[in-house]
Amino acid sequence: MCCSGPKWKREEVVDHKFDFIEVHDFYSKSLSIRLQYVWVYILVIKSFLVYISDIYTATTMLTSESWSNKIFESCQKKDGCVAIPFPVAKWLFVGCILFSFLLLAYEARKSQKIIASRDISFAFTNVMAQNYYSLRSYDHFCLFCHINDSTTKKDDFAFFIFFTFKEWKRLLLADGPRQTINGLTLYSFYLAKSSDKRDWWDVTKYIDKEDMVTNLLLVAIVFTVLIFVGSLLLLIIAAILYVPLLCSIRGNLKEYCCHKVDKRISELIKKKNQQRIKRQQQLAKKEAAGDFSHLKGKDGAVAATLPQPTLPTINFDDDDDVKTVANSRYAGSIRTGKESFWSDRKDSNYTGGAYMPDYPPMPAYDPAAYPPQPGYTAYAASLH
């Protein structure tokens, strides 16, 4: 079953680009969506501060020759502690930080191509591109929320595994070695405090009231280690659940996610078009009944409506109306200033009035209107 081909096929839909979709149609006033939008800003600011902290950590360790706090020094005085030499830890930390910035540049390059393509499904499946569009416009964020909310349980399952797998390089290669050192440091610090007879879960046992810098550093290390352990557990769960999902989708996970996103976009566009048509029909009925309240502005005045289409007036009679033809079909002469060339002529065989041939006559020649060019007289005389 797992070895057979997929029953679905992902095809790039040209219309599913931001250029062909009115994102303002997906605007939402929901409080939960607004809170999620605020959370996006918090996560972006947190990521920025983490990179600033990494730069500070790398700079500090490169300019130091030994551990400069009691947490690391206390381990070296206790039997059983795992003491990592400072030169080894220093280059592990610096190497992990450099690798994290290389990953950032790689993700930025990929997201730049996705943003240039304007493809909605690729933007949804790329975290950096999705954050870019979300920070750029609240309407884009609402569109992503509509796509996410319209998925099924199976799709949510696939998206969870997909987005969890996207962080494996950063988690294992950039954060793993650093957090391993921090975890061993916490374990060594715990052994250093084992002589205290208080229970191990008593927080006051590990707090030094005379050194607040050490306390803050201890809290920061515990927090980062817990975040790493939680992310590692999610990665392990996603790896385990990927096996039954692979047997279900029988294809590439990213292509499957993009296929599902395209499907949801088509459903959303169809739904919005139906809502737009229904709304236009309701407004047309109101205007037909003489109700133009929806056209009122802030000042209470009704805005001018668009002109309705009209049909041209066509005369189906065989004979043209004499007055209409005389006034509109043949224009007056600009040279003579007369209304027409035949206004003073009568045709004995025509009882309708003015004499009108099938075509307008040529205007009379006026020599003053076309003076001879310089040198023309001498040239004409030379021909004789």
Side-chain angles (χ1 to χ4, degrees):
M1 179 180 177
C2 296
C3 298
S4 60
K7 297 181 179 180
W8 54 272
K9 182 180 179 181
R10 200 261 166 169
E11 297 179 356
E12 185 176 356
V13 184
V14 181
D15 293 341
H16 291 176
K17 297 182 181 294
F18 290 107
D19 297 329
F20 306 109
I21 293 181
E22 184 61 43
V23 293
H24 186 69
D25 293 340
F26 301 92
Y27 177 85
S28 176
K29 297 181 180 180
S30 174
L31 179 60
S32 61
I33 294 182
R34 293 183 182 272
L35 292 178
Q36 294 176 32
Y37 190 60
V38 175
W39 183 248
V40 172
Y41 275 89
I42 295 175
L43 292 179
V44 172
I45 294 174
K46 186 266 299 181
S47 300
F48 178 76
L49 294 178
V50 166
Y51 285 109
I52 295 297
S53 175
D54 287 343
I55 295 175
Y56 173 77
T57 301
T59 305
T60 302
M61 298 198 73
L62 288 175
T63 56
S64 301
E65 298 297 335
S66 62
W67 300 112
S68 59
N69 56 78
K70 295 181 180 180
I71 295 179
F72 297 97
E73 292 177 355
S74 61
C75 174
Q76 302 175 2
K77 302 177 182 179
K78 189 72 177 180
D79 295 335
C81 291
V82 181
I84 300 177
F86 178 78
V88 176
K90 175 176 71 172
W91 290 112
L92 276 176
F93 267 82
V94 173
C96 290
I97 292 173
L98 289 177
F99 185 74
S100 66
F101 277 95
L102 290 177
L103 283 178
L104 177 64
Y106 174 72
E107 291 295 332
R109 178 61 177 171
K110 284 204 313 183
S111 63
Q112 184 181 12
K113 294 181 179 179
I114 292 174
I115 293 171
S117 69
R118 307 284 291 173
D119 189 276
I120 300 178
S121 60
F122 287 156
F124 181 82
T125 53
N126 185 275
V127 178
M128 188 174 293
Q130 187 177 149
N131 289 335
Y132 168 81
Y133 280 110
S134 298
L135 296 178
R136 180 184 177 185
S137 169
Y138 176 70
D139 295 336
H140 288 80
F141 178 76
C142 292
L143 172 60
F144 293 138
C145 289
H146 279 83
I147 296 174
N148 192 43
D149 294 340
S150 61
T151 55
T152 61
K153 295 298 182 182
K154 181 182 177 180
D155 297 342
D156 293 337
F157 184 68
F159 287 154
F160 163 73
I161 296 177
F162 173 75
F163 285 107
T164 304
F165 278 172
K166 289 182 72 69
E167 296 295 328
W168 76 269
K169 293 187 289 292
R170 183 179 304 278
L171 184 66
L172 298 180
L173 302 179
D175 292 337
R178 287 188 290 174
Q179 301 309 323
T180 301
I181 295 175
N182 288 336
L184 293 175
T185 302
L186 290 178
Y187 175 71
S188 302
F189 187 72
Y190 164 75
L191 293 179
K193 295 291 184 178
S194 60
S195 58
D196 195 328
K197 301 302 181 180
R198 287 177 289 180
D199 296 327
W200 66 270
W201 61 80
D202 190 354
V203 180
T204 58
K205 176 181 178 179
Y206 309 100
I207 295 178
D208 189 355
K209 298 180 179 179
E210 298 180 356
D211 193 351
M212 293 304 298
V213 176
T214 301
N215 295 334
L216 292 175
L217 182 60
L218 179 63
V219 172
I221 292 177
V222 172
F223 178 75
T224 55
V225 170
L226 290 177
I227 295 296
F228 173 77
V229 171
S231 301
L232 184 62
L233 289 176
L234 290 177
L235 182 61
I236 294 174
I237 294 173
I240 296 174
L241 297 179
Y242 178 65
V243 177
L245 178 65
L246 183 62
C247 294
S248 177
I249 64 176
R250 288 176 284 179
N252 184 274
L253 180 58
K254 181 179 180 180
E255 293 292 325
Y256 176 79
C257 291
C258 292
H259 167 71
K260 288 298 181 179
V261 172
D262 285 330
K263 186 177 179 181
R264 302 308 172 192
I265 294 173
S266 299
E267 295 176 355
L268 288 173
I269 293 176
K270 182 178 179 181
K271 183 179 179 181
K272 288 297 179 180
N273 289 337
Q274 292 176 350
Q275 292 177 353
R276 187 183 299 108
I277 293 174
K278 184 178 179 180
R279 184 168 59 251
Q280 293 296 334
Q281 290 176 348
Q282 292 175 351
L283 293 178
K285 290 181 180 180
K286 290 178 62 177
E287 293 182 2
D291 183 7
F292 298 94
S293 58
H294 59 282
L295 298 176
K296 290 184 179 180
K298 296 182 179 180
D299 55 353
V302 178
T305 59
L306 295 176
Q308 299 297 323
T310 58
L311 295 175
T313 302
I314 301 176
N315 188 0
F316 294 97
D317 295 336
D318 294 337
D319 297 330
D320 293 335
D321 180 70
V322 178
K323 183 177 180 180
T324 304
V325 173
N327 292 336
S328 61
R329 183 178 175 185
Y330 302 106
S333 174
I334 300 176
R335 303 285 185 192
T336 60
K338 298 181 180 180
E339 294 183 358
S340 65
F341 285 95
W342 50 79
S343 58
D344 55 348
R345 298 179 60 181
K346 298 292 182 180
D347 186 9
S348 59
N349 298 325
Y350 183 72
T351 58
Y355 170 78
M356 292 176 292
D358 294 336
Y359 54 89
M362 295 294 293
Y365 173 71
D366 187 2
Y370 304 98
Q373 298 297 324
Y376 175 76
T377 304
Y379 173 74
S382 64
L383 297 177
H384 297 286

